[in-house]
Amino acid sequence: MKSFLFKTASFLALSFLLIALIFFLFVRSSKKISKEYTFSNEHKVLFIGDSHIQNAIIDSLCPGFLNMGKNSETYYYSYHKLKAILATENKIERVLLSFDYHNLSNYSDAFFLGEKSPVISSEYFHLLPKKYQIQLLVSNWDKLPTFTRQIIKESTRIADRSNRPFPGKFRNDFFRTQAEDSSIQKRIQTQFYSKKGLNDFSQFNLNYLDSIRLLCQKKEIYFNLIQAPVYSDYLDLIPEEYIEKYRSTTYKFSKETLVVPFDSTTKSYFLPDGDHLSYEGAEVFTEQVLNLDVFNCPKNISTNKNLQ
């Protein structure tokens, strides 16, 4: 009986080691591909951040722009993604990081090692340091089979090499929408409140905001903060504590914060939550960004009649 148990345990241990070896070979391959990736020489301005910037900048309207925003991306993931991007062959001269009121809330911390981490971390896994990879695996031990399958699926996608090995691209399929009071209320509640009351600020996010800035300085790349517009009624409901914290943070980055004129009172420029731009809103916002002096983009480059 003891011999049988020993053989069974040995078989299971060897099987686990074999699976672990195959898994990390997949991850290693993805990391290698990301290091070898070459960006187009025309890409000079990189936009990163979460869904707010992902669906706000139509990068096809300016040849020098590259929007690599990704939904639910915290600054921790933005930092490691940017670090990997800047280690490739590229001609990037300026990085614009999306910064809005909700980025100050600790509700987003759950996307790192919390209960929401499996939602997006599989796409960044190959870009992370080994110690954080292990942390993610341990923190998601109860979901390990599903989590590892997601990582392998992402590695398979990257192995195709026709896909960019870094998460994020412009995406906005929201046409003819408008802000709605009920959705705005729900969004505000999710981002700034919990059962305990007002959410604390995310020191985790703020730390990596500084890290991204320092990384750009080290690489001698211009760094800017940019705020994707929110609907005026949404703005009115943001807790005053967050308004003040945002002001103090942008004051710290005053020389690097871009101010983009935008009509935030037009409902049709937003999704129902009032927190994201519709495609029509993205068209207008992109045009306003193009007009900023820091970019010197060619005029009249739009192929969309609504922008001409």
Side-chain angles (χ1 to χ4, degrees):
M1 185 65 178
K2 288 183 178 180
S3 176
F4 172 77
L5 291 174
F6 176 78
K7 289 180 179 179
T8 301
S10 299
F11 173 77
L12 292 175
L14 288 172
S15 298
F16 178 80
L17 289 174
L18 179 61
I19 293 171
L21 176 62
I22 294 172
F23 171 76
F24 280 106
L25 284 175
F26 268 100
V27 174
R28 183 179 179 182
S29 175
S30 298
K31 192 174 187 69
K32 183 174 183 292
I33 292 171
S34 68
K35 289 181 178 179
E36 296 171 349
Y37 189 81
T38 301
F39 283 86
S40 169
N41 287 340
E42 72 175 11
H43 291 144
K44 308 288 187 181
V45 181
L46 176 66
F47 293 81
I48 59 172
D50 57 23
S51 57
H52 287 71
I53 204 66
Q54 181 181 27
N55 69 347
I57 295 294
I58 308 175
D59 49 8
S60 61
L61 299 181
C62 184
F65 282 11
L66 179 60
N67 185 350
M68 291 192 65
K70 181 72 173 68
N71 60 295
S72 302
E73 181 173 288
T74 65
Y75 290 157
Y76 170 80
Y77 292 116
S78 293
Y79 170 78
H80 286 291
K81 180 172 75 175
L82 179 60
K83 187 176 181 181
I85 288 172
L86 297 182
T88 66
E89 186 177 334
N90 68 84
K91 298 295 182 180
I92 294 169
E93 299 175 353
R94 186 181 297 272
V95 170
L96 283 89
L97 177 66
S98 175
F99 182 53
D100 216 317
Y101 302 98
H102 74 282
N103 295 121
L104 296 168
S105 174
N106 67 359
Y107 93 105
S108 64
D109 291 355
F111 286 103
F112 174 44
L113 291 178
E115 59 181 13
K116 297 180 180 179
S117 61
V119 176
I120 65 165
S121 59
S122 58
E123 297 183 69
Y124 300 84
F125 194 84
H126 64 288
L127 303 175
L128 305 179
K130 286 185 178 179
K131 66 176 182 179
Y132 291 119
Q133 290 177 343
I134 293 172
Q135 275 186 281
L136 276 169
L137 292 172
V138 171
S139 66
N140 290 289
W141 187 258
D142 57 330
K143 313 178 193 73
L144 201 57
T146 302
F147 186 42
T148 52
R149 279 199 301 271
Q150 291 173 337
I151 295 170
I152 291 174
K153 182 180 179 180
E154 177 64 14
S155 296
T156 303
R157 186 192 70 82
I158 292 171
D160 182 14
R161 289 185 181 265
S162 63
N163 299 302
R164 195 182 290 140
F166 308 99
K169 64 179 180 180
F170 168 72
R171 184 173 184 177
N172 191 328
D173 302 320
F174 302 100
F175 300 89
R176 295 179 293 278
T177 66
Q178 66 174 25
E180 298 176 359
D181 290 344
S182 58
S183 294
I184 292 172
Q185 293 276 0
K186 184 177 179 180
R187 186 68 173 171
I188 289 288
Q189 191 66 35
T190 299
Q191 293 178 319
F192 301 105
Y193 297 94
S194 66
K195 293 180 180 179
K196 297 179 181 179
L198 189 67
N199 286 343
D200 291 330
F201 298 127
S202 174
Q203 193 57 49
F204 187 70
N205 238 14
L206 288 169
N207 288 343
Y208 275 97
L209 171 57
D210 284 329
S211 296
I212 293 170
R213 181 194 196 188
L214 292 173
L215 175 62
C216 290
Q217 289 178 349
K218 181 179 179 181
K219 295 290 184 177
E220 298 183 337
I221 291 174
Y222 292 110
F223 170 77
N224 294 108
L225 294 180
I226 186 169
Q227 183 182 34
V230 296
Y231 184 51
S232 55
D233 287 5
Y234 170 98
L235 182 61
D236 290 341
L237 294 175
I238 296 174
E240 187 60 34
E241 292 88 340
Y242 277 85
I243 298 291
E244 289 301 320
K245 183 66 173 179
Y246 189 85
R247 285 173 181 164
S248 63
T249 305
T250 52
Y251 180 79
K252 175 183 175 182
F253 292 88
S254 58
K255 293 182 179 180
E256 295 140 327
T257 301
L258 299 181
V259 178
V260 185
F262 190 82
D263 178 12
S264 295
T265 63
T266 302
K267 282 188 175 185
S268 61
Y269 286 168
F270 297 92
L271 270 62
D273 64 11
D275 190 30
H276 295 85
L277 290 175
S278 64
Y279 191 89
E280 290 80 6
E283 286 181 321
V284 177
F285 183 65
T286 301
E287 183 180 28
Q288 294 295 83
V289 172
L290 290 176
N291 288 331
L292 296 177
D293 293 337
V294 296
F295 297 123
N296 296 316
C297 281
K299 302 302 180 183
N300 299 321
I301 58 174
S302 172
T303 58
N304 190 303
K305 293 181 181 179
N306 292 332
L307 284 179
Q308 296 181 14

